[in-house]
Amino acid sequence: MLDNLQIIGSEEWCVFNDLGIPAIKARVDSGAKTSSIQATNLKIVSKGGHEWVKFEVSPLQENRSIGIECQARLVDRRMVKSSSGISEERLVIKTPVTIGDSTFEIELTLANRDTMEFRMLLGREALNDRFIVNPALNYQLQNFEDAEVNKMYAPYFKEKTGLKIALLASNPSLYSNKRIVEAAEARGHEIDFLNVEQAYMKLDAHSPEIRYRGGIILKDYDAVIPRIKPSVTFYGCALIRQFNNLGVYCQNSAEAITQSRDKLFASQLFSKNDIHIPITGFAKSPMDTKDLIKMVNGAPLIIKLLESTQGKGVVLAETNKAAESVINAFKSVNTNILVQEFIKEANGQDIRCFVVNGRVVASMQRQAQKGEFRANIHQGGIASIIKITPDEKKLALKAAKVLNLAVAGVDIIRSNKGPLLLEVNSSPGLEGIENATGKDIANAMIMAIEKRLKFAN
């Protein structure tokens, strides 16, 4: 009996011809009974007296911009307990799968696997009497090269449209930058990654220019997506202004980025526009430290560097004495800080709303690690999807509008006084919120540029 079984690795390529999926990587898991596939936008319809389900599969983990519309007859509904212990109903279909030279019918549960490493899981019902799993091996029955996969999915990329976009950033390997490039290419646009520090300007009334290392003149761009890290804010914003002077649309303006990075100025704008924030204090002289602490309701309190980001440069002072020491230490080296009320009832949680062109496209809750007060993902915070309230949505949209940011990560905290604005990020990361929500935010950013430029795609 065993001699007739093929050896299968812990990862294999599967083909679903009936669903129109030319190739999808699967994690082989003999611990799971039923196989499952990533599926979103599920809709049950009646067809020939039977229930069918329409759904969308994004088969490539590394490129979520590709979506394939599928349909299959619904064969069952099952309660399934997720890895986090939460039970939910899953729809079940039957469809033929091809693995190597073998084609056979399997059951698939339709699940949102956006946060999983693999878009498909191959369970033991599909393995029984067919395969022996060797977990030390991969792709024993079929292995597609990248060029083959690209060719298979070529029909799902839109034809070139002529829109030319520049992504102005520092690291092309960052998740967010890779996703934006993927999304632009998937919508048929040409996109170039430009390293901020390798671009330079010619300031001239007759023929102003932006050049790139090697003397290449940067021209013919329709739009620039700025993702400027804090250490190059001054130079990056100078480049954005130069692009703007050349008639190029910049998704976030230099002025908006500069305002959002200056926490003191931003806080003043929020106060002026009736946007509620934790009580915040700012003083120059150490002589005012005691009253500054008292003004924000005493310790515990938050001390922030004016140019902090990703939770860095943010300190929690547990006592008034500790707060005095930290504040005066910063002042002794002429470092500007804000002192802010600590919202104890938030329990180390905050909300990140991702705003694109006046719309909240996704929201996640971030929970700080035990013993940590900062919920930032870069500080080990754990992200989960959350439904925000109308007041929180209104606050996020108003904050982005006041700073004139087309793309913004708006951080909100829940307090006994209602939602409070913590800060607004002009270059918000995509990884945490895309994985938590399963939403294609990079695509929303590209579509926002198309809409702004009145570009028919």
Side-chain angles (χ1 to χ4, degrees):
M1 177 78 178
L2 293 177
D3 293 339
N4 297 325
L5 303 184
Q6 290 180 286
I7 294 176
I8 194 172
S10 61
E11 300 168 13
E12 292 289 345
W13 284 97
C14 296
V15 177
F16 291 94
N17 289 318
D18 284 17
L19 297 179
I21 300 172
I24 184 170
K25 282 182 185 176
R27 164 73 76 186
V28 178
D29 185 359
S30 58
K33 181 182 178 183
T34 310
S35 303
S36 67
I37 194 168
Q38 185 273 348
T40 55
N41 301 325
L42 280 67
K43 183 180 180 182
I44 296 174
V45 297
S46 181
K47 192 174 175 181
H50 298 285
E51 283 188 319
W52 283 60
V53 58
K54 292 183 176 181
F55 54 99
E56 187 174 300
V57 175
S58 297
L60 302 180
Q61 176 70 23
E62 59 277 9
N63 191 341
R64 298 186 195 183
S65 300
I66 291 177
I68 297 177
E69 294 181 0
C70 308
Q71 60 176 331
R73 185 175 167 183
L74 183 65
V75 298
D76 199 5
R77 289 178 170 86
R78 292 179 194 156
M79 295 303 295
V80 176
K81 186 174 285 189
S82 68
S83 56
S84 57
I86 300 172
S87 294
E88 60 181 4
E89 185 183 71
R90 296 259 180 90
L91 305 182
V92 184
I93 64 169
K94 273 188 179 180
T95 189
V97 63
T98 299
I99 307 175
D101 296 327
S102 303
T103 300
F104 51 92
E105 194 171 60
I106 63 169
E107 284 191 347
L108 284 175
T109 61
L110 305 181
N112 189 333
R113 297 182 56 83
D114 275 312
T115 59
M116 305 296 181
E117 183 182 358
F118 286 81
R119 316 301 264 172
M120 180 183 165
L121 184 145
L122 196 65
R124 64 175 177 271
E125 281 186 341
L127 304 174
N128 286 345
D129 301 325
R130 294 188 182 98
F131 306 109
I132 295 176
V133 182
N134 184 340
L137 302 175
N138 289 326
Y139 311 117
Q140 291 300 291
L141 304 181
Q142 178 81 63
N143 192 9
F144 296 120
E145 298 294 332
D146 288 346
E148 292 178 86
V149 175
N150 290 338
K151 188 175 180 181
M152 290 174 189
Y153 284 100
Y156 298 96
F157 285 87
K158 295 192 176 182
E159 291 182 7
K160 289 288 183 182
T161 62
L163 198 62
K164 190 175 180 182
I165 302 170
L167 174 57
L168 191 64
S170 295
N171 183 355
S173 299
L174 283 182
Y175 176 94
S176 299
N177 295 335
K178 287 164 68 176
R179 285 286 300 114
I180 290 168
V181 170
E182 288 171 3
E185 290 177 343
R187 294 190 65 78
H189 303 309
E190 179 183 349
I191 183 165
D192 295 331
F193 180 89
L194 301 179
N195 189 314
V196 175
E197 295 170 77
Q198 293 179 24
Y200 51 99
M201 295 166 278
K202 175 190 175 188
L203 306 176
D204 177 71
H206 298 292
S207 56
E209 290 176 347
I210 299 177
R211 296 195 179 195
Y212 205 58
R213 183 159 293 170
I216 302 166
I217 298 175
L218 300 176
K219 59 182 181 179
D220 301 327
Y221 286 108
D222 298 292
V224 170
I225 302 172
R227 294 191 61 81
I228 310 297
K229 64 182 181 181
S231 61
V232 293
T233 298
F234 178 81
Y235 189 68
C237 285
L239 282 170
I240 295 166
R241 282 193 296 272
Q242 185 76 346
F243 273 114
N244 184 65
N245 291 343
L246 294 172
V248 181
Y249 167 64
C250 299
Q251 194 165 38
N252 276 339
S253 70
E255 181 186 23
I257 293 170
T258 302
Q259 288 179 164
S260 70
R261 294 268 163 95
D262 185 338
K263 286 186 168 50
L264 176 60
F265 184 37
S267 296
Q268 290 174 314
L269 285 174
F270 298 146
S271 296
K272 178 183 176 182
N273 288 277
D274 195 31
I275 292 175
H276 295 261
I277 62 175
I279 299 169
T280 302
F282 179 76
K284 179 66 176 171
S285 171
M287 300 290 289
D288 301 312
T289 299
K290 279 186 167 59
D291 194 45
L292 194 66
I293 292 170
K294 185 179 178 183
M295 191 168 65
V296 299
N297 295 327
L301 56 80
I302 303 293
I303 301 163
K304 288 183 178 180
L305 293 177
L306 279 189
E307 294 183 353
S308 62
T309 183
Q310 296 176 349
K312 298 171 186 174
V314 182
V315 178
L316 172 64
E318 300 274 7
T319 65
N320 285 356
K321 190 173 181 62
E324 283 186 49
S325 298
V326 174
I327 292 168
N328 291 335
F330 278 130
K331 289 185 179 302
S332 69
V333 291
N334 293 317
T335 301
N336 287 318
I337 57 166
L338 290 178
V339 177
Q340 200 166 68
E341 171 189 22
F342 177 64
I343 309 299
K344 184 178 179 182
E345 60 268 24
N347 295 318
Q349 294 177 346
D350 70 12
I351 296 167
R352 161 61 63 89
C353 298
F354 206 107
V355 177
V356 179
N357 271 20
R359 191 167 65 91
V360 176
V361 296
S363 302
M364 67 174 173
Q365 178 176 276
R366 301 181 298 190
Q367 173 67 59
Q369 295 273 20
K370 189 175 181 181
E372 174 61 74
F373 71 97
R374 295 168 296 181
N376 306 69
I377 302 299
H378 286 86
Q379 300 301 327
I382 299 169
S384 58
I385 194 167
I386 188 173
K387 184 175 175 60
I388 59 173
T389 67
D391 284 345
E392 289 162 350
K393 181 180 179 181
K394 184 179 177 182
L395 179 61
L397 295 178
K398 189 174 181 181
K401 186 177 181 180
V402 162
L403 292 177
N404 198 28
L405 287 167
V407 173
V410 182
D411 295 340
I412 293 170
I413 197 166
R414 288 174 171 172
S415 77
N416 293 335
K417 296 180 284 187
L420 301 174
L421 177 67
L422 288 179
E423 61 181 283
V424 181
N425 191 323
S426 60
S427 297
L430 274 63
E431 185 170 13
I433 199 161
E434 281 199 341
N435 286 336
T437 64
K439 293 188 176 179
D440 190 347
I441 295 172
N443 186 62
M445 291 173 64
I446 302 301
M447 289 180 68
I449 290 174
E450 294 171 359
K451 185 175 181 180
R452 175 64 174 73
L453 296 179
K454 296 184 172 66
F455 196 91
N457 197 357

